[in-house]
Amino acid sequence: MEGISIQRAARSADLNHFALAGDARKRYILTPMPIRSPFHDRVARYCTSFAWKDWAGYYAASHFGETHLPEYWAFRESCAITDITPLFKYEVKGKDAARLLSRMTVRGFEKLPVGRVAYTCWCDANGKVIDDGTVSRLGEAHFFITAAEPTLSWMSRLSRGFEVELLDVSERTGALSLQGPTSRDVLKQCTDANLDALKFFQTTSAKLDGAGVQISRTGYSGDLGYELWCNAEDALKVWDALMTVGRDYGIEPAGIEALDMVRIEAGFIMLGVDYYSAPHVTIDARRSSPYEIGLDHCVKLDRDSFMGQEALRAEAARGAEWKLVGVEADWLELERLYESYSLPPGLAPAACRDSVPLYLDGKFVGQVTSTVWSPLLKRYICLASVKAQYAALGTKLKLEHTALYERKTVTATVVERPFFEPERKRTP
Amino acid sequence: MATTYDAIVVGAGHNGLTCAAYLAKAGRKVLVLESRDSIGGATASEEIYPGFTFSTCSYVVSLLRPQIIRDLELSKHGLEIMPLDWTFSPFEDGTSLLRGPDAEMNRRNIARFSRKDAERYPLFGQAMSELGRMMKPIIESPIPEPSKLTPSTIFEALRLGKQFKGVGEEWLAANLKMMTMSAVDFLSEWFESERLIGPMSVSGIIGTFLGIRSPGTAYVLLHHYMGEIDGAFRAWGLQKGGTGGVAMAIARSAESLGVEIKTGCRVDKVLMTGSEARGVVLVNGDEYHAKAIVSGADPHRTFLGLIGEDRLDEDFVKQIKRFKMRGSSGKVNLALDSLPEFPGLDQESPALRADITIAPNIDFLERAYDDAKYGRFSREPFMDCVIPSLTDPSVAPPGKHVMSIFVQYAPYNLKEGPADWENQREAFGDAVINTLERFSPGIKDRILHRHVLTPWDLEKTYGLTEGNIFHGELSLEQLAFMRPAAGWARYKTPIEKFWLCGSGAHPGGGIMAAPGQLCANTMLKARAV
């Protein structure tokens, strides 16, 4: 058996262009290994660390070189390029496309202008979040959706009676994220798109070295940045063009570890880390409503019926039980804690996704879900879920912290989120 | 002019601005007067050649206190420090050494020259970090004065002393050696290869008029490892847009706290009533009055210039005159058409993003010092280079680069006198480029523009007496309770209501901002404003 599976694995490696054929079924070929994105040939060339992660069944680089920190700085100082093909990608076409999305997610799409992108989330009937993602209106009756989890079945269940065509384009679409202050300069040099006119959360189609690409001014870094979507066949061409031009603008391939740091600075939540997909967990305590994970601004209650509407209306009226907040640990206290062991503060220079409890007067009041020492801000910052009565800015809580095996606490204050939001993110 | 302020700070360098910001944060009305048309002092970014931004003087951000960054919300005001993680040392035979945060890479690279050294290297780092950690509270608080036994100084001394409680004899011995030995001797106790000792020893001499074999230089090595304390937190780095961005961020923060900053206002004298400072008068005759005056200028300019010998006690004047300035370094800033090459390196190598140290061996460095001893610039100088445009493309046009070269030795006092730098400036620049060419063949042809700064220029343009980049050497006899003069190490001066907040005060130079912060805190605590 083992021999067979190895052989299959080898074959699937040869066949790694399966995606090029657009045959989604081959994605589930019997292999113990993750599969390769259409950018893999190039990504692998830079990934001298051999530090790979499995992201939705794909090989995703954790970090490329000796450490992830140069990649982190590229996000903030020059330009980071990340293969985000593993995202699930769908197209919804047809007369009722806008109606379907308005029914499925917590906001309406009838009025979204063509060329605009909206961030949204979708809930189950109890108003608990299933997933979050972006929706781009490519045409009057044509939408493009990204998701962290497979969503085709859910969409088709909801689409009964709607005149729509649903397409899972996950495999046949290559996706790159280009983020950082020089990302626009790089794109300007290699596309025909009018990027000066492309505002935050807008999308446009363009030509990049002859290949058709969809460019949206969106991203997970909270900085100036773009996401590019192309046919898988054009993936290498697009990558090469960006890297060639990017050389003069400090472009760096960046992996998941650096991305995780910048998304925490930007205050963005992550499925499976800061909240869980409602159908994937068994108890209600692990499910969250949009109000509980900081997505209040997405929810538009007063419109035609949508999934979870009644439950959300009730929750809006009585107030959410939990709130997502930004929390900052008191650095001096942390230093003193380590000092008591004659140690310098021992924090990992990377993001941490472990949940850590927050207390007030010895009572559990919530948990930190994502934590990072921000090299840019020189602050130890966290995303946290706290009981609503402790969510006010300035509330002082106690954060558990383990120093030299012992569990202690340090003061952590509820602060504004995002932690980092440069003007360039939105300005023309 | 009769506007009255709580405090006037003379000089908008990073310390002056920090001091002003902290005073304003405590609700005081503060005015900062800067003689140049731009702020920052020696913490400056200037577009000397179109499209290229040079960190004209200081070029790396070393020990900027993280607490200051947080207190003044500097990140919000534009502070972005990118780490400088690697050190790259090319040698003339085409080999090179790259050291960085990866212990295994260090071991591999050092082992090419000495397997034993490779094994010792992490132990050395650990020992130094331990020493540095103990020194840290010292640079973060005003220094207690041993001559004044008041309860508060005793308390402070005990608090600092607690750091050293329970340390073993071995540690004390290491510390004593550190304080007295030369950088080379100290390093030779640990390592055998000159390829390691040479590049490592230079951190003991930067900014001093000493050689790597001069006693006392071992201590300065420690300063490097104090940066490393913030290990995971990367205190050593490059500011986005050049070091001027640091001053700019502090200035923006200060202004948001209500500080008024006036440029193009050269202060001529401090106005006094009896033994009390009460204001300043500008060269144009304008007067400004305040409850306290703070000087961010170096001790020479402050006391011998702004105050004047005649208004000071004779002994104090002597002490200040003896406070050694004697600048020993220059700067060469290059606008490059393309990235420099070093034998055996491809252009993707992190080595080019490193601190590039031209210090191939001990004799090379000692010979460089020999020249200086006799009033000449080094024919083959030690150089510390960085190419900030690799991490921060905003400082050069696409594909072009900026190279910042710190050069030692360039003695202020040339044999022919300091003014002769006007005649020797370009020859000095040639010596730098010719030496660099031997390590990076072809660099000459890449140069679009060369900007040479001698100690004479540092004095004339940036107001650094004798071109000393630290407002006075960071040698042992000029540190802690002796900085700038015994008995006057706590920012207070013999002139009442007159304070010193520049790098000439404890804990000293570098873009640390601690003197500015500590001065403000001391003033507030003493209710001086």
Side-chain angles (χ1 to χ4, degrees):
Chain A
M1 265 318 275
E2 204 190 330
I4 291 167
S5 64
I6 288 169
Q7 200 178 356
R8 290 270 179 103
R11 273 190 55 213
S12 78
D14 294 337
L15 290 173
N16 89 78
H17 295 302
F18 72 91
L20 307 188
D23 185 346
R25 280 169 304 174
K26 281 191 186 161
R27 177 168 186 179
Y28 302 105
I29 201 165
L30 185 63
T31 160
M33 304 301 286
I35 55 171
R36 301 164 180 218
S37 99
F39 298 102
H40 188 84
D41 276 0
R42 297 297 188 273
V43 172
R45 195 176 295 171
Y46 284 93
C47 191
T48 54
S49 65
F50 288 87
W52 297 100
K53 251 186 159 169
D54 182 328
W55 175 10
Y58 283 85
Y59 278 109
S62 287
H63 57 94
F64 285 83
E66 195 189 4
T67 79
H68 61 286
L69 286 168
E71 298 160 33
Y72 164 83
W73 288 102
F75 271 110
R76 294 294 180 228
E77 304 302 336
S78 51
C79 178
I81 182 171
T82 307
D83 178 6
I84 54 166
T85 304
L87 283 173
F88 290 84
K89 303 170 282 288
Y90 304 95
E91 283 184 38
V92 182
K93 289 179 179 170
K95 183 165 85 55
D96 292 332
R99 265 185 64 219
L100 170 65
L101 292 168
S102 305
R103 160 132 181 80
M104 178 175 112
T105 86
V106 298
R107 53 162 296 166
F109 285 91
E110 287 86 352
K111 286 182 191 152
L112 186 76
V114 173
R116 283 288 300 274
V117 186
Y119 174 63
T120 188
C121 68
W122 42 101
C123 299
D124 64 11
N126 301 320
K128 300 297 181 187
V129 181
I130 299 173
D131 200 347
D132 64 297
T134 56
V135 175
S136 309
R137 189 164 205 167
L138 303 181
E140 217 27 69
H142 186 186
F143 289 84
F144 176 76
I145 297 126
T146 65
E149 299 270 335
T151 309
L152 187 66
S153 156
W154 182 244
M155 274 201 291
S156 45
R157 273 173 63 189
L158 295 177
S159 68
R160 255 167 247 162
F162 289 82
E163 206 173 295
V164 290
E165 184 191 358
L166 303 178
L167 289 167
D168 184 343
V169 294
S170 298
E171 280 84 7
R172 73 170 196 224
T173 309
L176 286 176
S177 169
L178 199 66
Q179 306 280 310
T182 63
S183 55
R184 177 164 37 210
D185 298 330
V186 173
L187 275 184
K188 271 187 183 175
Q189 300 289 317
C190 52
T191 72
D192 60 352
N194 181 2
L195 292 159
D196 291 321
L198 191 70
K199 294 189 188 129
F200 188 54
F201 265 70
Q202 283 189 341
T203 183
T204 180
S205 59
K207 286 269 182 236
L208 199 156
D209 197 15
V213 290
Q214 187 71 30
I215 301 175
S216 50
R217 188 164 163 190
T218 49
Y220 206 32
S221 69
D223 213 304
L224 173 66
Y226 301 85
E227 287 170 320
L228 281 75
W229 321 92
C230 66
N231 286 326
E233 303 92 271
D234 294 327
L236 298 182
K237 188 195 259 189
V238 169
W239 172 279
D240 290 342
L242 291 170
M243 288 303 288
T244 308
V245 170
R247 231 192 118 85
D248 287 347
Y249 296 91
I251 202 169
E252 289 277 340
I256 306 302
E257 287 178 21
L259 184 63
D260 216 10
M261 294 176 75
V262 293
R263 70 100 189 162
I264 298 173
E265 289 176 342
F268 293 145
I269 50 167
M270 184 177 227
L271 178 72
V273 177
D274 301 294
Y275 78 100
Y276 295 93
S277 178
H280 289 197
V281 287
T282 52
I283 56 168
D284 258 348
R286 304 204 84 179
R287 297 190 175 111
S288 307
S289 78
Y291 298 115
E292 292 175 325
I293 56 174
L295 300 186
D296 316 42
H297 62 283
C298 296
V299 187
K300 299 286 176 277
L301 285 173
D302 297 321
R303 53 191 185 87
D304 287 349
S305 133
F306 64 94
M307 281 306 289
Q309 188 179 29
E310 271 173 48
L312 290 175
R313 187 167 278 153
E315 183 171 336
R318 70 170 183 269
E321 195 185 341
W322 294 84
K323 282 284 170 194
L324 182 96
V325 293
V327 158
E328 178 180 5
D330 186 308
W331 183 253
L332 290 183
E333 232 178 86
L334 200 72
E335 254 185 353
R336 280 196 295 271
L337 171 59
Y338 279 92
E339 191 54 46
S340 67
Y341 298 100
S342 297
L343 285 174
L347 302 179
C352 172
R353 294 175 175 186
D354 296 337
S355 300
V356 180
L358 284 163
Y359 299 100
L360 185 67
D361 302 328
K363 206 172 66 192
F364 174 82
V365 296
Q367 71 274 356
V368 149
T369 48
S370 289
T371 310
V372 74
W373 160 263
S374 163
L376 182 71
L377 306 173
K378 308 274 181 266
R379 295 163 68 196
Y380 189 46
I381 52 178
C382 324
L383 295 178
S385 221
V386 296
K387 291 199 174 133
Q389 63 265 42
Y390 307 109
L393 286 181
T395 307
K396 293 215 183 298
L397 304 170
K398 288 284 181 188
L399 169 66
E400 183 182 290
H401 191 86
T402 305
L404 197 76
Y405 318 122
E406 259 184 285
R407 288 188 184 175
K408 302 268 178 139
T409 61
V410 293
T411 302
T413 309
V414 176
V415 294
E416 270 178 70
R417 181 181 64 100
F419 304 97
F420 177 70
E421 193 176 32
E423 270 174 37
R424 60 183 179 245
K425 174 174 129 181
R426 286 166 192 278
T427 48
Chain B
M1 289 229 193
T3 327
T4 298
Y5 296 88
D6 290 317
I8 292 172
V9 178
V10 182
H14 66 279
N15 278 310
L17 291 168
T18 302
C19 180
Y22 271 93
L23 292 176
K25 198 165 181 246
R28 306 302 190 271
K29 192 168 154 58
V30 189
L31 170 68
V32 179
L33 296 170
E34 167 60 42
S35 65
R36 296 187 76 206
D37 289 326
S38 55
I39 61 145
T43 313
S45 301
E46 293 167 275
E47 191 176 319
I48 303 265
Y49 185 70
F52 294 81
T53 305
F54 293 143
S55 292
T56 340
C57 304
S58 53
Y59 57 106
V60 289
V61 186
S62 49
L63 296 156
L64 185 62
R65 309 315 305 151
Q67 194 54 36
I68 297 176
I69 298 176
R70 283 185 289 268
D71 284 349
L72 301 182
E73 296 187 280
L74 297 185
S75 303
K76 206 173 92 186
H77 294 287
L79 185 87
E80 290 185 35
I81 301 174
M82 299 154 270
L84 195 59
D85 279 344
W86 287 279
T87 305
F88 173 64
S89 320
F91 305 112
E92 278 174 287
D93 58 6
T95 63
S96 54
L97 176 60
L98 178 65
R99 292 175 285 143
D102 181 343
E104 291 306 322
M105 182 199 77
N106 292 340
R107 192 174 52 74
R108 222 162 41 232
N109 289 352
I110 297 169
R112 290 188 300 146
F113 304 114
S114 160
R115 283 179 176 269
K116 287 183 193 159
D117 287 359
E119 201 175 311
R120 300 272 281 165
Y121 188 73
L123 302 176
F124 179 78
Q126 207 177 314
M128 295 297 278
S129 300
E130 188 59 14
L131 279 170
R133 195 177 62 78
M134 297 199 177
M135 302 303 277
K136 189 169 161 248
I138 298 178
I139 62 170
E140 289 194 334
S141 43
I143 198 82
E145 290 194 5
S147 55
K148 291 182 185 151
L149 285 178
T150 67
S152 74
T153 53
I154 291 171
F155 176 75
E156 282 173 33
L158 283 174
R159 195 174 54 81
L160 291 180
K162 214 173 66 184
Q163 292 298 316
F164 305 97
K165 199 177 77 182
V167 299
E169 235 171 81
E170 206 178 320
W171 185 86
L172 284 174
N175 202 22
L176 192 62
K177 282 181 176 174
M178 188 95 227
M179 295 289 181
T180 53
M181 287 175 94
S182 76
V184 167
D185 288 345
F186 186 77
L187 289 166
S188 299
E189 292 202 344
W190 284 84
F191 305 113
E192 59 184 17
S193 172
E194 284 202 30
R195 309 248 161 154
L196 194 55
I197 298 172
M200 285 179 81
S201 66
V202 290
S203 28
I205 52 160
I206 287 185
T208 71
F209 200 93
L210 296 166
I212 51 169
R213 289 194 178 117
S214 311
T217 47
Y219 166 76
V220 190
L221 291 176
L222 195 57
H223 263 250
H224 262 266
Y225 285 86
M226 293 210 254
E228 302 271 316
I229 293 170
D230 292 316
F233 320 115
R234 314 279 155 178
W236 284 83
L238 300 167
Q239 160 68 23
K240 184 183 178 64
T243 48
V246 177
M248 199 53 89
I250 305 174
R252 283 200 198 111
S253 166
E255 281 177 334
S256 77
L257 294 163
V259 172
E260 201 180 320
I261 301 171
K262 292 192 180 200
T263 55
C265 293
R266 181 175 288 280
V267 174
D268 182 39
K269 280 282 178 214
V270 170
L271 295 170
M272 288 171 63
T273 308
S275 61
E276 241 181 57
R278 59 177 179 88
V280 295
V281 56
L282 306 188
V283 284
N284 68 7
D286 287 356
E287 287 188 14
Y288 294 94
H289 299 161
K291 292 176 196 151
I293 312 297
V294 190
S295 169
D298 67 52
H300 276 226
R301 279 171 61 99
T302 298
F303 295 110
L304 309 179
L306 295 176
I307 299 289
E309 282 185 43
D310 49 331
R311 298 199 277 188
L312 289 159
D313 172 75
E314 201 179 325
D315 279 344
F316 182 75
V317 170
K318 264 189 204 154
Q319 280 203 61
I320 292 299
K321 282 188 170 169
R322 278 198 297 261
F323 187 72
K324 291 193 288 275
M325 305 305 287
R326 46 176 202 181
S328 60
S329 56
K331 240 341 254 303
V332 173
N333 298 306
L334 301 178
L336 297 176
D337 195 32
S338 55
L339 270 181
E341 285 174 22
F342 289 89
L345 275 195
D346 71 57
Q347 297 220 328
E348 305 293 336
S349 168
L352 289 176
R353 297 180 175 206
D355 194 51
I356 303 169
T357 304
I358 307 290
N361 59 60
I362 295 170
D363 283 348
F364 176 98
L365 295 167
E366 192 64 18
R367 268 199 304 272
Y369 181 45
D370 287 343
D371 282 325
K373 279 186 267 186
Y374 304 106
R376 295 189 302 260
F377 61 78
S378 307
R379 293 312 182 244
E380 291 189 322
F382 149 61
M383 281 175 257
D384 191 37
C385 320
V386 287
I387 309 174
S389 45
L390 267 175
T391 328
D392 171 15
S394 73
V395 294
K400 314 278 187 227
H401 291 280
V402 163
M403 189 174 195
S404 164
I405 311 173
F406 170 87
V407 191
Q408 198 162 323
Y409 299 80
Y412 174 81
N413 285 306
L414 287 173
K415 198 162 58 159
E416 299 83 359
D420 204 53
W421 271 113
E422 294 289 356
N423 305 319
Q424 299 194 32
R425 186 183 296 115
E426 293 311 316
F428 169 63
D430 290 343
V432 169
I433 301 304
N434 289 336
T435 308
L436 194 56
E437 176 78 23
R438 291 195 352 243
F439 295 87
S440 176
I443 189 141
K444 275 186 190 175
D445 302 329
R446 303 176 198 275
I447 299 174
L448 297 171
H449 182 77
R450 180 175 95 180
H451 172 241
V452 182
L453 266 181
T454 69
W456 176 254
D457 303 319
L458 291 173
E459 179 176 77
K460 291 289 160 271
T461 313
Y462 300 94
L464 298 168
T465 301
E466 297 191 14
N468 189 295
I469 58 171
F470 291 142
H471 282 197
E473 257 179 44
L474 290 184
S475 49
L476 258 183
E477 75 281 14
Q478 303 201 153
L479 284 176
F481 51 82
M482 288 175 296
R483 192 167 188 89
W488 300 105
R490 292 170 65 93
Y491 317 101
K492 208 170 152 34
T493 70
I495 306 291
E496 292 200 24
K497 304 190 175 173
F498 185 69
W499 302 74
L500 183 68
C501 74
S503 295
H506 174 76
I511 307 179
M512 174 152 52
Q517 175 207 25
L518 297 175
C519 175
N521 290 346
T522 308
M523 289 171 72
L524 291 167
K525 213 170 155 190
R527 297 176 199 278
V529 276

